[in-house]
């Protein structure tokens, strides 16, 4: 229990770290791009709503009825707009943030330890590309190996009572693996090595993953979870898992 609480605190620390000089640009730049894109899309949707509706309205409708329909449709349109933004913002934010997460983890490491992770030469990157691709395939395989039994377990009567708890633990572990990939990847650790390192402090990893999963379910806060989780995972790795 103590490790679970300690692991969760690293996510809270991550929210503080992404506001530090030298770090915040990697945390907030993808979010700013995302917000700009959504703002343009929302502005375009609102400005074009009237022309779209006028084009769709049957010409034989009386003017008073067409006007009344417009008043009814506007709140429905706004509600749909809010739902679309809420459910797609995080997905697109993940995609935009992905190229920034490695540099973000590096910036946090420099801030906390004063040292940068070892740099990789271009020749080494090209040489290791097949290994990295295979590493991603292994990640997917690991996910499927555990998901399939859990899905089957969910349909077995009586036994499936414990399946929600198992799904929560599994999701927390996967989130811990996912976000620790950035600081550990900067140190050239592959997926199997990352798993072995995290298993040494499984309680910390699960506490961190649980807190991250909970934060992603809170509106508005979930927009900041991605950079905060990368920063928190980096701090957890440096202080508890990185070899001396």
């Amino acid at each position: 229990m103590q490790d679970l609480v300690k692991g969760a605190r690293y996510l809270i620390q991550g929210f503080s770290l992404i506001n530090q000089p030298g770090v915040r640009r990697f945390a907030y730049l993808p979010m700013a791009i995302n917000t700009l894109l959504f703002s343009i899309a929302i502005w375009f949707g609102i400005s074009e709503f009237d022309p779209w509706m006028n084009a769709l309205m049957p010409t034989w409708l009386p003017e008073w009825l067409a006007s009344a329909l417009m008043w009814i449709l506007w709140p429905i349109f706004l509600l749909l707009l809010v739902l679309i933004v809420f459910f797609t913002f995080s997905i697109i934010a993940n995609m935009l943030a992905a190229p920034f997460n490695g540099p973000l983890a590096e910036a946090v490491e420099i801030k906390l330890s004063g040292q940068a992770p070892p740099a990789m030469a271009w020749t080494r990157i090209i040489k290791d590309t097949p290994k990295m691709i295979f590493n991603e395939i292994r990640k997917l395989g690991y996910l499927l190996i555990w998901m399939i039994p859990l899905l089957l377990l969910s349909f077995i009567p009586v036994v499936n009572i414990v399946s929600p708890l198992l799904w929560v633990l599994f999701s927390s572990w996967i989130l811990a693996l996912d976000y620790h990939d950035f600081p550990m990847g900067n140190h050239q650790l592959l997926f199997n090595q990352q798993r072995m390192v995290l298993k040494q402090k499984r309680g910390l990893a699960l506490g961190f993953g649980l807190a991250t999963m909970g934060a992603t379910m809170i509106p508005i806060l979930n927009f900041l979870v991605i950079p905060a989780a990368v920063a928190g995972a980096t701090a957890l790795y440096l202080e508890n898992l990185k070899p001396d």
Side-chain angles (χ1 to χ4, degrees), residues 12 27 35 41 72 82 91 109 145 173 176-177 193 203 207 210 221 223 227:
I12 298 171
T35 303
I72 294 170
V82 169
I91 296 170
E109 183 166 345
I145 285 170
W173 177 247
L177 282 171
Q193 296 168 310
L210 279 167
L221 184 65
F223 299 156

Side-chain angles (χ1 to χ4, degrees), residues 141-203:
Y142 178 81
L143 187 66
L144 292 174
I145 285 170
W146 284 99
M147 278 187 70
I148 293 170
L150 282 173
L151 280 170
L152 293 173
L153 185 68
S154 301
F155 291 100
I156 300 174
V158 183
V159 181
N160 60 6
I161 294 172
V162 298
S163 65
L165 175 61
L166 294 176
W167 274 110
V168 168
L169 292 174
F170 174 69
S171 301
S172 301
W173 177 247
I174 292 299
L175 282 171
L177 282 171
D178 193 27
Y179 284 108
H180 280 84
D181 181 40
F182 299 106
M184 292 188 189
N186 285 344
H187 288 266
Q188 286 85 59
L189 293 180
L190 297 178
F191 181 62
N192 278 355
Q193 296 168 310
Q194 293 173 16
R195 272 198 304 126
M196 295 305 296
V197 170
L198 275 179
K199 280 181 180 179
Q200 298 171 19
K201 299 284 186 179
R202 196 187 296 271

Side-chain angles (χ1 to χ4, degrees), residues 98-142:
F100 294 86
N101 287 339
L104 171 59
E106 183 177 346
V108 171
E109 183 166 345
I110 294 170
K111 175 66 66 174
L112 293 175
S113 68
Q115 295 179 332
M120 289 182 70
W122 280 107
T123 52
R124 174 76 183 278
I125 292 172
I126 294 169
K127 181 182 175 183
D128 284 353
T129 296
K131 188 190 296 184
M132 297 300 180
I133 293 171
F134 184 64
N135 189 54
E136 293 303 313
I137 294 172
R138 294 183 84 165
K139 279 187 190 179
L140 182 60
Y142 178 81

Side-chain angles (χ1 to χ4, degrees), residues 30-39 42 83-96 220 222-224 226:
M31 189 180 300
I33 296 170
N34 199 21
T35 303
L36 178 63
L37 291 174
F38 269 87
S39 299
I42 291 168
L83 290 173
I84 290 168
V85 169
F86 178 75
F87 285 108
T88 58
F89 192 96
S90 294
I91 296 170
I92 297 176
N94 268 299
M95 295 169 61
L96 287 173
I220 308 301
N222 61 354
F223 299 156
L224 291 168
I226 300 167

